[in-house]
Amino acid sequence: MKLQIMGCHAATPRFMTHPTAQVLELGGHLVLIDCGEGTQMQLRRFKVRFSRIEHIFISHLHGDHFFGLPGLISTFRLLGRENPLHLYGPPGIKEAITLLLKLGDSWTNYPLHFHELTATEPEVIFEDARIRVRTLPLDHRVYTNGFHFELREGERSLRAEVARAHGIDRAHFQGIKQGADAPAADGTVIPNALLTDPPPPPKHYAFCSDTAYKPSLVPLIKGVDVLYHEATFLEAHAGLAAKTKHATAAQAAAIARDAGVGELLLGHYSTRYSNLEDFREEALAVFPRVSLAEDGKTFEW
Amino acid sequence: MKLQIMGCHAATPRFMTHPTAQVLELGGHLVLIDCGEGTQMQLRRFKVRFSRIEHIFISHLHGDHFFGLPGLISTFRLLGRENPLHLYGPPGIKEAITLLLKLGDSWTNYPLHFHELTATEPEVIFEDARIRVRTLPLDHRVYTNGFHFELREGERSLRAEVARAHGIDRAHFQGIKQGADAPAADGTVIPNALLTDPPPPPKHYAFCSDTAYKPSLVPLIKGVDVLYHEATFLEAHAGLAAKTKHATAAQAAAIARDAGVGELLLGHYSTRYSNLEDFREEALAVFPRVSLAEDGKTFEW
């Protein structure tokens, strides 16, 4: 899995601090998570091959997570896109996008599929042979979902030295990785269990923004490799966080600790703070593995 | 009048080339003309005191002139704006903005006034003691207006040496500029005509984007000081210009020449061109006073 941050700041975009958008590469897909204003500029700035994006997941319909979407959809049209695009988001996303395209008489010439989410319990919203995407219902001022991405390494891992010792032809290797037995040089059939190790465990990424501190998330994201959890405020403004249904860095870290995640990524910083290191320090007091999201930064696992 | 370009490129925004938006300062107003995606970042980048903006004029509802508006409206709210904001644009602008605010449950806490334009003939849409704004119906794929801004220098110009020769007290100067007679040191009343010159002629700015070549514009913008006319294409792509209802640099220059304007500003360049000087050269062959709009550039007259 490879995650690149396009923007990770709250609310009002500025020239150098962009609102939420992330590109996640997994299992042959490039997906976009949220699409604040200016996301298409950021995609170009960081040279993302964004025509590959076929699935866009929108957490909620506040502008800093969503106002870049109409422009990106229009740009795909201008660039001659033909591949379908799937949009997942709260009810109303279809009406909004459709109205904006209608007003500009700018219908897409590629298929646009809307998947309006309404569940308040986690649900699987996309699945193929290698990946599965689930919603993570969050607690914010409007209907909001986080997203849980699971990448299953479908192939078993070849014990190359065993295969060579039996003189197995390389032409069989792909089949072996997919679970097949294979003939040795002398004609004996070697069972797959001898030739392979089980596939590595699935990889997981959980995106949780925007949300108040919500302990009921913990069992849903137990042990994920990477958790992005919003930290709009520091504890000094815990009251404001509660009032606006956002979280503090310490609360994000408590969720990470209780869920036993591999690494916590913080983001969605309020622009009132000038030193982002304060977020990391506050979280480190609660949980040991903390990174700061920053525009353009890449995380791979 | 002082014009600053926030963005002047066509269609798909990129990291360093922004779609249409201009800030015009005149007669005590700061107005915004068009608002492509990312305009609020550009306003901050160029340190425009954008809370002063009370009137926004939207030419048409294509994304590159309009998709920055919902974000700017939301940002005004987050910054605690209280002053009314007036929006002028095509029918549908109210429905679109209202829907987006509703979906985000983010109603403004300042008054938002929509002025939907429907006329196909020029009309005065705003006027006060010093400025007048008229529409300039354009010829584009959707209903589109340019805007003609007129600044009347209301005050007569004081002949300071005459006033001094008569020993007129400075306390009278403001009244004299507004047309009053004034007492000399010896008590004689000096008529205003002796004390002042007429106010300077009004200043004019015409914004014409997006539009096909439209000769009927000429009488409407006769003699304006500055004409911004879109030049999406060069003559090499005149067929594409006609098909998409855009203009070439040579066509923009022909309008400028026939209207006898002071200066022609070109903009709305298609991103297919890498050398903007080609636009100036093509226009200069038709009209002698040509400048290129560029993000951040300021023009004053």
Side-chain angles (χ1 to χ4, degrees):
Chain A
M1 282 188 170
K2 184 177 162 190
L3 177 73
Q4 190 172 16
I5 308 297
M6 298 292 109
C8 58
H9 291 261
T12 64
R14 300 179 180 214
F15 182 53
M16 289 313 294
T17 65
H18 291 79
T20 304
Q22 305 187 351
V23 172
L24 180 68
E25 196 161 0
L26 78 168
H29 295 278
L30 190 69
V31 309
L32 181 65
I33 308 168
D34 280 351
C35 191
E37 182 175 352
T39 295
Q40 61 174 321
M41 285 91 142
Q42 294 290 86
L43 290 166
R44 289 187 192 255
R45 174 182 178 194
F46 297 122
K47 302 194 189 329
V48 176
R49 292 178 51 212
F50 64 94
S51 62
R52 281 185 56 209
I53 295 171
E54 297 189 351
H55 301 271
I56 300 179
F57 300 91
I58 300 292
S59 62
H60 66 300
L61 298 185
H62 280 157
D64 57 326
H65 295 254
F66 165 55
F67 283 170
L69 187 59
L72 183 61
I73 289 172
S74 299
T75 291
F76 280 141
R77 180 181 62 83
L78 291 167
L79 297 178
R81 181 188 182 107
E82 294 181 354
N83 286 351
L85 182 65
H86 294 266
L87 301 176
Y88 306 78
I93 193 169
K94 179 175 181 177
E95 183 186 1
I97 296 296
T98 307
L99 175 62
L100 293 174
L101 299 180
K102 187 187 82 174
L103 290 175
D105 195 15
S106 305
W107 300 109
T108 63
N109 37 13
Y110 58 89
L112 200 54
H113 299 288
F114 292 92
H115 306 268
E116 293 198 335
L117 310 175
T118 54
T120 51
E121 295 297 318
E123 60 173 343
V124 173
I125 54 174
F126 178 76
E127 187 164 26
D128 69 6
R130 296 189 63 196
I131 81 169
R132 183 184 294 143
V133 186
R134 283 189 194 86
T135 56
L136 296 168
L138 301 177
D139 178 16
H140 194 42
R141 303 193 302 276
V142 294
Y143 177 70
T144 304
N145 285 296
F147 301 103
H148 177 175
F149 298 88
E150 178 180 348
L151 170 63
R152 296 183 298 276
E153 281 296 352
E155 295 191 335
R156 299 180 65 85
S157 160
L158 179 73
R159 293 180 184 160
E161 72 295 350
V162 178
R164 270 196 299 271
H166 288 286
I168 294 174
D169 194 282
R170 296 184 65 87
H172 294 287
F173 284 8
Q174 194 50 43
I176 293 170
K177 289 184 196 168
Q178 288 163 8
D181 302 335
D186 65 5
T188 337
V189 170
I190 312 295
N192 187 276
L194 291 181
L195 292 169
T196 61
D197 290 309
K203 293 177 176 174
H204 296 270
Y205 174 58
F207 168 90
C208 296
S209 183
D210 294 357
T211 188
Y213 174 61
K214 192 186 184 205
S216 62
L217 274 176
V218 168
L220 305 177
I221 57 173
K222 207 83 190 173
V224 299
D225 302 284
V226 177
L227 165 66
Y228 174 90
H229 194 292
E230 75 127 287
T232 307
F233 295 103
L234 296 173
E235 278 294 308
H237 296 105
L240 197 50
K243 185 179 158 200
T244 58
K245 296 221 172 191
H246 283 298
T248 66
Q251 290 171 335
I255 297 287
R257 176 197 62 204
D258 296 346
V261 309
E263 183 178 6
L264 170 64
L265 283 190
L266 298 177
H268 203 264
Y269 320 110
S270 162
T271 47
R272 80 186 55 219
Y273 303 108
S274 54
N275 185 6
L276 298 187
E277 280 301 322
D278 293 343
F279 286 89
R280 175 150 51 191
E281 275 181 31
E282 182 173 298
L284 278 173
V286 180
F287 181 74
R289 294 175 300 279
V290 180
S291 292
L292 296 175
E294 286 174 47
D295 295 4
K297 212 164 165 184
T298 297
F299 301 88
E300 214 162 342
W301 66 96
Chain B
M1 282 187 169
K2 184 176 162 190
L3 178 73
Q4 190 173 17
I5 309 297
M6 299 292 110
C8 58
H9 291 262
T12 66
R14 300 179 179 214
F15 182 53
M16 289 313 295
T17 66
H18 291 80
T20 303
Q22 305 187 349
V23 171
L24 181 67
E25 197 163 358
L26 78 166
H29 295 278
L30 191 70
V31 309
L32 181 65
I33 308 167
D34 280 350
C35 190
E37 183 176 352
T39 295
Q40 60 174 319
M41 286 91 143
Q42 293 290 87
L43 290 168
R44 289 186 191 256
R45 176 183 177 192
F46 297 122
K47 303 194 189 327
V48 176
R49 292 176 51 212
F50 64 96
S51 63
R52 282 186 56 209
I53 295 171
E54 297 191 349
H55 300 271
I56 301 179
F57 300 92
I58 300 291
S59 64
H60 65 300
L61 298 185
H62 280 158
D64 57 326
H65 296 253
F66 165 56
F67 283 171
L69 188 57
L72 183 60
I73 288 172
S74 300
T75 290
F76 280 141
R77 180 181 62 81
L78 291 167
L79 297 178
R81 181 189 182 106
E82 294 181 355
N83 286 349
L85 181 66
H86 292 267
L87 301 174
Y88 306 79
I93 193 170
K94 179 175 179 176
E95 184 186 0
I97 297 296
T98 307
L99 175 61
L100 293 174
L101 297 181
K102 187 187 81 172
L103 290 175
D105 195 14
S106 304
W107 300 108
T108 61
N109 37 13
Y110 58 89
L112 200 54
H113 298 288
F114 293 93
H115 305 268
E116 293 199 336
L117 310 174
T118 54
T120 51
E121 295 298 319
E123 58 172 344
V124 173
I125 55 174
F126 178 76
E127 187 165 25
D128 69 7
R130 296 189 62 195
I131 81 169
R132 185 184 292 142
V133 186
R134 282 189 196 86
T135 56
L136 296 168
L138 301 177
D139 179 17
H140 195 43
R141 303 194 302 277
V142 294
Y143 176 71
T144 303
N145 285 297
F147 301 103
H148 176 175
F149 297 88
E150 179 181 348
L151 170 63
R152 295 183 300 276
E153 281 296 352
E155 296 191 336
R156 299 181 65 86
S157 161
L158 178 73
R159 292 181 185 158
E161 71 295 351
V162 178
R164 269 195 301 269
H166 286 287
I168 293 175
D169 193 281
R170 298 184 65 86
H172 293 287
F173 285 8
Q174 192 51 42
I176 294 170
K177 289 184 197 168
Q178 287 164 10
D181 303 334
D186 64 6
T188 337
V189 171
I190 313 294
N192 187 273
L194 291 182
L195 292 169
T196 61
D197 290 309
K203 293 177 176 175
H204 296 270
Y205 174 57
F207 168 89
C208 297
S209 184
D210 294 357
T211 188
Y213 174 61
K214 193 186 184 205
S216 63
L217 274 176
V218 168
L220 305 178
I221 57 172
K222 207 81 189 176
V224 299
D225 302 285
V226 177
L227 166 65
Y228 174 90
H229 194 291
E230 75 127 286
T232 309
F233 296 102
L234 297 173
E235 276 296 307
H237 297 104
L240 198 50
K243 187 178 159 201
T244 57
K245 296 221 172 192
H246 283 297
T248 66
Q251 290 170 335
I255 297 287
R257 177 196 62 205
D258 296 346
V261 309
E263 184 178 4
L264 170 64
L265 285 191
L266 298 177
H268 203 262
Y269 321 110
S270 161
T271 47
R272 81 186 53 219
Y273 304 108
S274 54
N275 184 5
L276 298 187
E277 280 302 322
D278 293 344
F279 286 89
R280 174 149 53 189
E281 276 180 31
E282 183 174 297
L284 278 173
V286 180
F287 180 74
R289 295 175 299 279
V290 180
S291 291
L292 296 175
E294 286 173 48
D295 296 3
K297 212 165 164 182
T298 297
F299 301 88
E300 214 162 342
W301 66 97

